Amino acid sequence: MSNFPFLDVVIFLPLAGAFAVGLIPRDNDGALRWTAFAVTLVTFVVSLGLLLNFDSDAAGFQLGTDVRWVKDWGVGYITGIDGISLWMIMLTTFLMPLAVLASWTITTRLKPYFVFLLALETGMLGVFSALDLFLFYVFWEVALIPMYFLIGMWGYANRIYAAVKFFLFTVLGSLLMLVAILFVYFNAGEGATFDYRALLGTPFSPEVQRLLFLGFFAAFAVKVPLVPLHTWLPDAHTEAPTAGSVMLAAVMLKMGAYGLLRFAIPLFPDAAREFVPLVMTLAIIGILYGAAVAVMQKDLKRLVAYSSVAHLGFVVLGMFVGTVEGMSGGILQMINHGLSTGALFLLVGALYDRRHSRLIADFGGLSKSVPVLAGIFLFVALSSLGLPGLNGFVGEFLILLGTWTAYRWWVVPAAFGIVLAAIYLLWAYQRVFHGEPVIEENRVMIDLNLREVSMLAPIMALIVLIGVYPKPFLDTIEPAAERTAQVLKEGSVASRDGAQQLRRHIVAGPLVPVLEED
Amino acid sequence: MTSGDFGQLAPLIIALPLLGALALFFFGRRIGTAAGTVASATIGAAFVIGVVTFFELLGHEHGHRSSVVELWEWVAAGSFRVGVDLLIDELSMVMVLVVTGVGTLIHVYSIGYMHDDPRYPTFFAYLNLFAASMLLLVLAENVLLLYVGWEGVGLCSYLLIGFWFERPAAANAAKKAFIVNRIGDLSFLIGILVLTTTVGALSVGQINAEAGAISAGMATVAALLLFGGATGKSAQIPLYVWLPDAMEGPTPVSALIHAATMVTAGVYMVARLSPVFEASSGDLALTIVAWVGAATALFAAVMACAENDIKRVLAYSTISQLGYMFLAHGVHAYSAGIFHLATHAFFKALMFLGAGAVMHALAGETDLRKMGGLRRVMPVVGWTFAAGWLAISGVIPFAGFFSKDAILASAWADGEYGLWAVGVLTALLTAFYMSRLYFSVFEGDLVVPEGVHVHDAPVTMATALVPLGVLSVVGGVLNLPGVLTLEHFLEPAVGESHVPEGLIPWVLAGLALFVAALGIGLGWRLYARRDGEARRRAWQRRVPWLVTGARNKFYVDEYYGGLVVGPAKRTATFFADVFDTRVIDGVANGAGWVVARSAAGLRKMQTGYVRNYGLVYLFGVVLVFSLLIMKAVR
């Protein structure tokens, strides 16, 4: 089985599914839904093959494909995964069937909806697998467009504004990245190529590195998002349909963080190192600012959106402190945030389906009428605020530990974020779930149904698993985290030796299996 | 710290109540009224295993009574490794016995107290979850695992304070408790980080073995950060404000969590890591611990004198008694602190449960001015409460006398006469406000709210009161010279304690007794006699500022509201409603407007038919890939 091209199948199964959905008559709602669900579920099952065949001890990238694709342009279809991309892919394939389940309440224009949702999955999976800058950029844009339509077509009242804003922010960032990619392509020493592995260690001068780093950084910082580039996020999250919010928060934001790890840092290590204080400062501002703004939100979805700003601040902080602990914690926290924030959006979506409101003030006393929803909401909120024993704590602690080890008292403002997280989550929880249900609709609200419980239960199981036994996750993450942390700490393209060493660090040999060398 | 080979059953001590909690969460509705029995059975079984393990431990020689049970590797990254490991030694087992022993009695009591509640199974699920977390806290072999239990008990405290979440006061109190504790936890967490680099490990054994080698400055920093955590969980100045409000929870919760067990977690933690505190330069950390404890003890006792809510009097009393325990730690008398922790668990849990029985009988009344003479109509509650009252007041031979005397004597022996004096003054106030409470509620003419038929405690509740009453009377034997010596027993875990020699201890004990008698006498004059009211007024006229201050809790909540909460809220509002929306987003929208204007021509492409967009998109994707593939095959 190990020769089965799991990765490529996983990437393109959803796109094939999109075509299959395209063949179904548009008024056959049941067939559309179940086909989409089946496709995402099968994709998840196939992706388990990646997990089983992944070798934690192997260095470099694995399970990939290397085809000289468009030879005279130097474009390759090169894919491959390490411990970082593995979990991002698993997160995507795991959450997608749940997002489809959450889409059961969508009743209009189902066919294009599922086409976009499935195409989005291919785009995101491709982003996490591509080892060729051109291919990466194609997937990046392939993921962007469906999300634009999901927000703009199936969103709430203010959806057009939110969709356009999302699009403009992302596109502007992406364009800068495209310019940087093209510059790298034309100026890399060994001839025009987009091959990430070949480009590693290219000895750009410090000034050029700085500009190129900023070009990539622009695209990724918008996506993460880092303050002050975050204002598209609350609008996009709030207006998007539930599945859109879930995938946006759980996976799309990670594309930014992933891009920093995969491309911005290893390609331009000297510049990255120079920018560490700046990025750390932005990350810490994000933690505190996102949380402070979250406290005062009146709309539940906006609250969760700002909490994402704070959480992603933790992720980026962990990545840039340059220690294995911080890096591992940051990567683990990407998974954790995907799970807990994904679940929070599912829950807020369930509330919206019942009350057609997201305003905190419209709720109250729900613990009495919908105890199961209330209990699960609290559980997920506790995961999000980093209660020890659940997943969020492991990631946050490692990030704080890494920060402390490398930068000592910088850790204090970051750690203050855990107090703020308790404030915004528990205050909102109190207003929504505690007290007497005075509004009639709240008093007679119906509790979660089987479909809703079955989309939340798998997430809750993982929340506990990572909380009490994160070892399988950390063990696969660590080698990749260690290499990247090493690059950030010591990697340099200034000298030939440094460049070679860097390449050895990241690539460490050919992909397994190598399919074709033209 | 030697690794022994006993205590293999210890994981069950945590697992049993945890399983009980899970069963009640998932099958609560089916289990129904049996929930109380199920929960009591699991914690009771944990107690039995605790006793078995304790005897296993006693079977080993003094100095070799420590064993580590390793379960699984928890968090590992880089050079950082922490496992789920349990430490079974003298200190943790004393705590296990207190927690499971008192815990079982309170579970049984709750069967009667909560029997009418519509969420009866949920209550016991929370109670069991609490027990499991607390036991994890005391058995944890490393500080990070201890922190898991620490936050776990905090969560259960939140859930149980807010158990009657329909009441806004309960919901507010729950949130306040969690957030105030989180502030303490922040300090604790940073303290843990400091330990990771100064010691290089988080194992309790390793920290304590290597604490002496830490630089005195870093030891002080670490110790104070840890103590910061303790001020939250154990309700000391400046973070005590959540505990009085926590009385919104059901009374068994107040007894178990907010008197006997959870609030003592900070006391336990300081004792557990005492070598870190000892390593501080010039005893700076311990001096601060002692004085914060002493100040809290006195301050809370003053407020207890002016409080009219029966549960809140007990809450302030708990804060005050916890202060005593920290005072003990601060003068190196860790075993005396733990001794007081144990006796306090007996008599304070007893009094809370007694207060609960009173409220149960009086239809929820908590104002002690609306009660009186209850001992004659509820003798079991009255007599057992009297035992608790005499114990906390420090009357010989009740339990509290011995433990309080041990603390005061240690302060004297350490040369801390100032601390000793504060302790004695607090003892006087304690005897006074407790007598006030006891006489108001149980003696004098019978006073009950109209239309209430008063009944004595039902069987389940009495079942818990009587053993705790007995323990409050005889609990002092735990550390009676020549009979049992807790101090000697705990020595390998927390170090030796020093007590004065010769005549001095007898003089000190006599003084303590005299002070207790004085306080009780004063309470009797002012609250038991018919002319008490006039005398009270005369007393109050002498110190009007003190009376007003104490009645208003010295406005601490108001200061916190005005100096911390208000400005923080205003800042957050500014960021959320002005800075983020107008400034940051304003810039973005302004830029967007320019783009939108120039792109107005593209509007024509918006046909409004989604399937067109979808088609165009799919077509685009296919085009890109097929173009590339064609280039590739060519």
Side-chain angles (χ1 to χ4, degrees):
Chain A
M1 278 297 271
S2 66
N3 279 329
F4 183 78
F6 282 106
L7 188 59
D8 304 300
V9 172
V10 167
I11 295 172
F12 288 103
L13 248 183
L15 194 64
F19 281 104
V21 166
L23 297 176
I24 297 171
R26 66 161 170 245
D27 51 359
N28 194 345
D29 291 2
L32 290 167
R33 284 180 183 134
W34 285 106
T35 308
F37 183 67
V39 168
T40 52
L41 196 64
V42 170
T43 309
F44 173 63
V45 172
V46 177
S47 72
L48 289 176
L50 288 177
L51 192 59
L52 293 176
N53 285 302
F54 188 83
D55 178 3
S56 300
D57 300 324
F61 295 95
Q62 44 185 308
L63 298 169
T65 306
D66 183 355
V67 191
R68 292 291 154 78
W69 189 14
V70 190
K71 206 172 153 197
D72 38 357
W73 295 353
V75 175
Y77 177 82
I78 309 169
T79 56
I81 57 173
D82 64 357
I84 305 170
S85 24
L86 171 72
W87 289 113
M88 291 302 105
I89 289 169
M90 295 312 297
L91 182 69
T92 311
T93 58
F94 170 77
L95 285 174
M96 202 42 121
L98 309 178
V100 172
L101 278 182
S103 307
W104 241 244
T105 51
I106 300 277
T107 49
T108 53
R109 298 175 292 200
L110 276 180
K111 190 163 149 176
Y113 178 86
F114 283 117
V115 166
F116 283 133
L117 201 60
L118 291 168
L120 171 71
E121 185 173 11
T122 287
M124 296 189 299
L125 292 171
V127 162
F128 295 130
S129 316
L131 292 178
D132 178 278
L133 291 184
F134 186 86
L135 188 67
F136 172 76
Y137 190 78
V138 170
F139 279 125
W140 182 269
E141 296 297 332
V142 166
L144 167 66
I145 292 158
M147 185 53 91
Y148 168 76
F149 282 107
L150 285 174
I151 299 171
M153 295 293 155
W154 289 270
Y156 301 120
N158 209 8
R159 56 181 180 268
I160 301 293
Y161 169 75
V164 171
K165 197 170 179 180
F166 163 77
F167 191 79
L168 289 181
F169 265 82
T170 317
V171 160
L172 289 178
S174 310
L175 284 179
L176 291 176
M177 175 167 75
L178 183 63
V179 172
I181 289 178
L182 291 176
F183 185 92
V184 170
Y185 172 71
F186 286 114
N187 292 283
E190 297 167 21
T193 178
F194 288 107
D195 187 341
Y196 168 70
R197 300 163 304 171
L199 291 170
L200 276 172
T202 307
F204 296 111
S205 71
E207 297 77 29
V208 173
Q209 267 197 63
R210 240 172 266 150
L211 286 173
L212 291 174
F213 178 86
L214 287 177
F216 276 83
F217 187 72
F220 300 142
V222 166
K223 216 53 174 203
V224 165
L226 283 169
V227 176
L229 302 173
H230 65 282
T231 57
W232 64 270
L233 176 101
D235 288 314
H237 272 76
T238 309
E239 299 302 330
T242 300
S245 306
V246 170
M247 296 320 289
L248 189 57
V251 182
M252 267 210 148
L253 304 188
K254 311 308 175 325
M255 285 166 43
Y258 173 82
L260 289 172
L261 278 189
R262 173 70 69 235
F263 299 104
I265 295 176
L267 286 175
F268 320 110
D270 305 278
R273 200 163 41 246
E274 260 180 54
F275 283 110
V276 161
L278 175 77
V279 180
M280 276 178 66
T281 308
L282 287 179
I284 291 175
I285 288 177
I287 293 172
L288 298 175
Y289 182 82
V293 175
V295 174
M296 300 314 296
Q297 293 308 309
K298 297 166 188 78
D299 179 311
L300 275 174
K301 271 189 142 182
R302 287 188 86 84
L303 188 149
V304 180
Y306 278 104
S307 84
S308 289
V309 175
H311 278 101
L312 270 292
F314 267 111
V315 169
V316 173
L317 178 67
M319 289 174 176
F320 274 80
V321 294
T323 57
V324 190
E325 293 87 352
M327 191 71 81
S328 297
I331 296 162
L332 185 67
Q333 198 61 359
M334 283 161 73
I335 306 171
N336 292 338
H337 174 263
L339 295 173
S340 58
T341 305
L344 279 178
F345 276 123
L346 289 175
L347 288 159
V348 176
L351 285 174
Y352 183 86
D353 292 340
R354 286 161 173 73
R355 282 284 275 110
H356 299 287
S357 171
R358 304 177 308 259
L359 292 182
I360 295 174
D362 284 343
F363 297 100
L366 295 187
S367 283
K368 214 165 186 177
S369 43
V370 287
V372 176
L373 199 163
I376 294 181
F377 197 107
L378 182 64
F379 178 86
V380 176
L382 292 169
S383 144
S384 179
L385 64 78
L387 187 86
L390 301 180
N391 60 347
F393 176 71
V394 181
E396 275 178 10
F397 179 76
L398 286 174
I399 292 168
L400 294 176
L401 177 66
T403 311
W404 166 259
T405 317
Y407 293 92
R408 289 294 187 261
W409 300 106
W410 278 64
V411 80
V412 175
F416 195 71
I418 66 167
V419 176
L420 293 176
I423 294 174
Y424 63 72
L425 281 167
L426 292 186
W427 191 32
Y429 189 80
Q430 179 187 357
R431 287 176 290 165
V432 172
F433 292 98
H434 287 166
E436 281 287 352
V438 279
I439 301 170
E440 183 58 23
E441 287 98 319
N442 292 335
R443 196 193 309 277
V444 297
M445 193 182 275
I446 298 164
D447 214 335
L448 294 181
N449 59 32
L450 185 64
R451 173 182 61 85
E452 291 166 318
V453 171
S454 32
M455 69 195 187
L456 288 160
I459 302 183
M460 291 168 69
L462 274 180
I463 284 175
V464 174
L465 176 69
I466 300 180
V468 298
Y469 192 60
K471 192 177 161 63
F473 297 83
L474 287 173
D475 281 356
T476 29
I477 289 170
E478 183 160 325
E482 196 170 358
R483 287 196 295 274
T484 318
Q486 193 72 17
V487 167
L488 188 63
K489 223 159 77 186
E490 295 163 10
S492 172
V493 293
S495 70
R496 180 174 274 277
D497 284 355
Q500 272 175 356
Q501 201 182 0
L502 185 142
R503 204 171 303 177
R504 262 205 309 280
H505 263 316
I506 298 286
V507 182
L511 291 168
V512 195
V514 179
L515 281 191
E516 193 185 338
E517 282 284 342
D518 197 21
Chain B
M1 190 79 41
T2 51
S3 216
D5 51 354
F6 63 95
Q8 303 307 324
L9 290 175
L12 283 178
I13 299 176
I14 301 166
L16 283 168
L18 183 63
L19 286 175
L22 290 177
L24 291 172
F25 275 127
F26 286 114
F27 310 111
R29 212 171 297 168
R30 219 169 303 165
I31 295 173
T33 49
T37 320
V38 170
S40 306
T42 60
I43 178 88
F47 175 67
V48 172
I49 296 172
V51 171
V52 171
T53 308
F54 186 71
F55 277 104
E56 241 186 301
L57 176 140
L58 286 181
H60 290 70
E61 262 177 71
H62 186 68
H64 299 276
R65 289 168 172 166
S66 162
S67 170
V68 176
V69 177
E70 294 178 9
L71 295 176
W72 68 84
E73 187 175 83
W74 180 33
V75 181
S79 54
F80 180 80
R81 293 250 168 313
V82 149
V84 177
D85 306 328
L86 306 182
L87 170 61
I88 296 97
D89 74 345
E90 298 89 341
L91 180 59
S92 65
M93 284 318 293
V94 166
M95 292 297 291
V96 164
L97 292 182
V98 171
V99 172
T100 53
V102 176
T104 305
L105 293 174
I106 294 173
H107 274 67
V108 172
Y109 174 95
S110 306
I111 296 175
Y113 192 85
M114 299 298 290
H115 72 281
D116 288 334
D117 198 282
R119 286 192 299 273
Y120 185 79
T122 312
F123 179 81
F124 281 99
Y126 291 164
L127 222 51
N128 254 350
L129 183 64
F130 167 78
S133 311
M134 187 71 204
L135 290 163
L136 176 65
L137 191 162
V138 299
L139 283 168
E141 202 281 326
N142 62 67
V143 189
L144 203 64
L145 195 60
L146 192 155
Y147 188 76
V148 177
W150 184 272
E151 289 249 311
V153 293
L155 165 68
C156 297
S157 168
Y158 167 82
L159 293 170
L160 286 161
I161 295 169
F163 186 71
W164 289 315
F165 55 77
E166 295 92 338
R167 302 206 314 238
N172 271 326
K175 181 189 60 185
K176 182 176 177 182
F178 196 93
I179 291 170
V180 171
N181 267 296
R182 264 261 152 151
I183 296 170
D185 295 348
L186 170 66
S187 170
F188 190 5
L189 192 62
I190 297 172
I192 293 176
L193 294 178
V194 175
L195 287 177
T196 56
T197 43
T198 48
V199 178
L202 289 179
S203 145
V204 166
Q206 221 166 326
I207 290 172
N208 287 347
E210 292 167 26
I214 309 175
S215 81
M218 278 320 265
T220 309
V221 171
L224 289 178
L225 285 167
L226 295 175
F227 181 60
T231 60
K233 192 91 7 195
S234 294
Q236 297 295 291
I237 292 172
L239 296 180
Y240 69 90
V241 289
W242 64 272
L243 186 58
D245 289 6
M247 297 299 115
E248 290 295 335
T251 306
V253 173
S254 314
L256 178 62
I257 300 184
H258 304 122
T261 55
M262 182 191 84
V263 289
T264 64
V267 179
Y268 169 75
M269 185 257 282
V270 174
R272 180 85 281 173
L273 299 173
S274 56
V276 178
F277 288 79
E278 295 283 344
S280 160
S281 49
D283 270 355
L284 180 61
L286 282 175
T287 308
I288 291 173
V289 170
W291 277 103
V292 168
T296 308
L298 182 60
F299 187 61
V302 171
M303 289 188 283
C305 295
E307 182 60 63
N308 291 317
D309 182 302
I310 183 169
K311 281 182 73 181
R312 281 173 174 260
V313 174
L314 293 174
Y316 281 114
S317 164
T318 303
I319 297 172
S320 174
Q321 298 297 309
L322 290 165
Y324 265 116
M325 298 172 207
F326 284 111
L327 197 167
H329 286 357
V331 295
H332 313 276
Y334 304 102
S335 51
I338 296 297
F339 181 29
H340 196 57
L341 184 160
T343 61
H344 176 259
F346 304 149
F347 58 69
K348 188 55 69 59
L350 167 68
M351 285 191 284
F352 263 117
L353 296 183
V358 167
M359 288 162 58
H360 200 253
L362 300 187
E365 184 57 62
T366 59
D367 191 331
L368 54 83
R369 289 168 301 186
K370 296 180 185 162
M371 314 168 179
L374 291 177
R375 182 172 53 78
R376 264 160 295 150
V377 284
M378 1 185 12
V380 175
V381 177
W383 285 114
T384 51
F385 199 99
W389 157 54
L390 294 172
I392 193 174
S393 299
V395 172
I396 199 164
F398 293 87
F401 165 76
F402 295 96
S403 54
K404 200 183 287 185
D405 186 55
I407 294 173
L408 294 175
S410 308
W412 185 277
D414 201 43
E416 297 283 358
Y417 306 116
L419 288 169
W420 174 84
V422 176
V424 170
L425 183 58
T426 305
L428 172 71
L429 289 172
T430 307
F432 168 71
Y433 70 70
M434 271 302 162
S435 306
R436 167 179 180 257
L437 177 66
Y438 176 76
F439 290 130
S440 302
V441 176
F442 291 102
E443 301 296 335
D445 301 329
L446 185 68
V447 183
V448 294
E450 250 176 72
V452 169
H453 171 71
V454 180
H455 55 85
D456 205 352
V459 180
T460 46
M461 288 159 72
T463 311
L465 288 173
V466 173
L468 286 172
V470 172
L471 284 169
S472 300
V473 179
V474 303
V477 299
L478 282 179
N479 197 29
L480 204 60
V483 182
L484 264 173
T485 48
L486 187 71
E487 268 173 39
H488 177 67
F489 174 70
L490 285 177
E491 215 176 79
V494 299
E496 263 179 82
S497 7
H498 301 277
V499 281
E501 313 256 310
L503 196 59
I504 297 171
W506 297 100
V507 175
L508 292 176
L511 248 168
L513 278 173
F514 171 72
V515 162
L518 198 65
I520 292 172
L522 199 60
W524 179 73
R525 264 175 85 92
L526 297 184
Y527 290 92
R529 289 166 54 123
R530 284 180 205 283
D531 58 356
E533 175 128 22
R535 287 172 193 276
R536 291 208 290 274
R537 284 185 200 290
W539 274 80
Q540 284 163 7
R541 267 197 296 278
R542 269 181 239 174
V543 281
W545 55 272
L546 188 60
V547 175
T548 323
R551 280 191 181 149
N552 291 293
K553 287 123 196 112
F554 297 101
Y555 308 97
V556 172
D557 273 322
E558 284 76 10
Y559 280 120
Y560 283 179
L563 294 176
V564 183
V565 181
K569 228 173 176 171
R570 280 193 292 279
T571 312
T573 308
F574 169 75
F575 280 140
D577 295 346
V578 181
F579 190 70
D580 205 66
T581 42
R582 307 249 174 88
V583 181
I584 300 190
D585 208 28
V587 172
N589 280 338
W593 183 79
V594 174
V595 177
R597 289 285 298 201
S598 50
L602 292 174
R603 279 242 176 117
K604 293 191 190 92
M605 288 174 63
Q606 287 197 359
T607 57
Y609 291 103
V610 195
R611 59 171 179 274
N612 292 2
Y613 295 138
L615 205 64
V616 169
Y617 168 72
L618 266 190
F619 185 70
V621 173
V622 173
L623 189 72
V624 170
F625 277 98
S626 40
L627 267 178
L628 292 175
I629 289 168
M630 270 154 60
K631 289 259 336 155
V633 279
R634 192 172 53 101

